[in-house]
Amino acid sequence: MRIDLHTHSSVSDGTDTPAELMRNARIAGLDVVGLTDHDTFDGLDEAAAEGALQGVQLVRGMELSCSRQGSSVHLLAYGADPDSPGLATEMARVRDGRLGRLAGVLAKLAALGVPVSEAEVMAQVGDSPSVGRPHIADALIAAGHVIDRQEAFDRFLADGGPAHVPRYTIELERGIELVHQAGGLAVIAHPWGRGRERLLPPSVLGILANDHRLDGIEVDHQDHDADIRRRLRSLADSLGLLPTGSSDYHGVGKLDHDLGCNTTDPEVFYEIQRRLARAESSTNRLPPQTSR
Ligand code: AMP
Ligand code: FE
Ligand code: FE
Ligand code: ZN
């Protein structure tokens, strides 16, 4: 069984529609796919419907923009209820922040001699509710300023880069709490990718596991080399965290992230399903809301 638990669609900064993603998942020989668009659940129903046609099981996910000490940390949420008020309110704030920073980024790009207009960016965003830097990168490509998204990030948009503007994110501990309140599981995405090892050292991951009931960490991810994967796997083992694996597929938007290039062990996936079933049954046991 081949399980890829972290992918993106055009509902955020991927390039496949949710239905195309599920068709491509079948072609890639996947049995289970987690769709985890940034800060939105909007693609899940379309993906589930196409998944049923393709014989690919959908895991309902989302990648939440969190931060620790001012640096970005991505938190994967599995099986969280989109209507949970706390989570929904915070996700809306994050999406507002994504749009709100756009003018600042565009002013910096203009000053750097690579102007693009808000309309050019919004043409790339389409009807995605989650405006991302990759969309700005796509506008820079369309305007002929860069060749691909990677060049746009390397020259301008990366964290701390000359056109980077911070946006609203959720404190990591609070993000974990909101996901749990929504009945979901919380797994830190690519915890040690792009130099984040110092931000999330073993001691911090230990506190998150023990005091905040973090469920898991992504181990097999393209941003982790073999040594990082080995050390994260042993850390997950000693802390009782579920080790997941994924492609973090973005369609043609990210090179070397083909569907299924990393996968999650079936035993880990079964444990995720067991925990979600438990969360669901404990929600169902709550006394029914009085209705008028
Ligand atoms: P945003 O969601 O707008 O903060 O942009 C973050 C997204 O841009 C991530 O989810 C990745 O898809 C992509 N990204 C972030 N940093 C880089 C980087 N250094 N190189 C390439 N892509 C990146
Ligand atoms: Fe992304
Ligand atoms: Fe991420
Ligand atoms: Zn991702």
Side-chain angles (χ1 to χ4, degrees):
M1 184 154 79
R2 299 189 70 227
I3 302 155
D4 185 342
L5 285 185
H6 173 178
T7 68
H8 295 271
S9 77
S10 55
V11 165
S12 65
D13 58 7
T15 59
D16 291 358
T17 65
E20 285 166 350
L21 168 74
M22 298 311 274
R23 287 196 284 275
N24 285 328
R26 182 184 55 75
I27 292 166
L30 291 171
D31 303 289
V32 179
V33 170
L35 174 58
T36 52
D37 274 312
H38 297 284
D39 306 305
T40 174
F41 294 104
D42 281 9
L44 296 178
D45 289 345
E46 179 184 324
E50 185 65 25
L53 297 177
Q54 300 294 329
V56 177
Q57 181 182 345
L58 176 74
V59 174
R60 291 178 172 264
M62 183 267 298
E63 188 174 12
L64 188 63
S65 296
C66 295
S67 56
R68 173 176 151 74
Q69 297 176 344
S71 290
S72 152
V73 177
H74 286 176
L75 186 67
L76 296 164
Y78 294 114
D81 176 6
D83 297 323
S84 176
L87 183 60
T89 303
E90 279 297 280
M91 287 170 67
R93 259 182 103 178
V94 170
R95 289 192 302 266
D96 284 349
R98 287 176 162 281
L99 192 58
R101 86 178 146 181
L102 184 56
V105 176
L106 297 185
K108 287 190 169 186
L109 288 173
L112 290 160
V114 285
V116 286
S117 68
E118 187 155 333
E120 288 173 287
V121 175
M122 294 317 285
Q124 302 297 331
V125 171
D127 46 21
S128 163
S130 181
V131 181
R133 279 178 277 168
H135 297 123
I136 305 172
D138 290 345
L140 287 167
I141 297 168
H145 296 310
V146 297
I147 293 294
D148 57 18
R149 283 185 177 184
Q150 196 57 57
E151 184 187 350
F153 273 90
D154 291 346
R155 287 177 58 197
F156 306 114
L157 299 173
D159 290 4
H164 183 233
V165 173
R167 61 181 170 83
Y168 177 72
T169 49
I170 304 164
E171 272 303 313
L172 179 57
E173 292 83 351
R174 173 85 179 126
I176 295 170
E177 187 184 354
L178 289 169
V179 170
H180 285 156
Q181 277 172 9
L185 298 194
V187 173
I188 298 183
H190 41 73
W192 288 358
R194 299 203 178 109
R196 272 178 178 68
E197 186 166 349
R198 270 167 294 130
L199 188 65
L200 294 166
S203 57
V204 170
L205 291 174
I207 291 169
L208 295 173
N210 292 318
D211 299 352
H212 300 272
R213 294 179 297 113
L214 176 70
D215 293 280
I217 50 176
E218 220 171 34
V219 170
D220 289 306
H221 185 280
Q222 294 302 78
D223 290 351
H224 295 158
D225 65 20
D227 177 59
I228 286 183
R229 293 180 192 210
R230 193 173 39 72
R231 288 188 292 122
L232 278 176
R233 198 180 311 283
S234 106
L235 195 59
D237 189 44
S238 61
L239 293 174
L241 290 166
L242 297 170
T244 66
S246 79
S247 61
D248 200 357
Y249 175 74
H250 280 66
V252 297
K254 238 180 199 181
L255 301 175
D256 302 322
H257 287 253
D258 292 340
L259 278 169
C261 65
N262 303 293
T263 55
T264 295
D265 187 295
E267 290 304 325
V268 171
F269 171 59
Y270 296 143
E271 177 59 20
I272 289 174
Q273 286 187 305
R274 278 193 290 272
R275 289 191 195 184
L276 287 178
R278 275 205 296 275
E280 175 125 341
S281 67
S282 70
T283 314
N284 290 344
R285 257 185 264 118
L286 288 175
Q289 302 276 313
T290 45
S291 54
R292 281 179 289 157

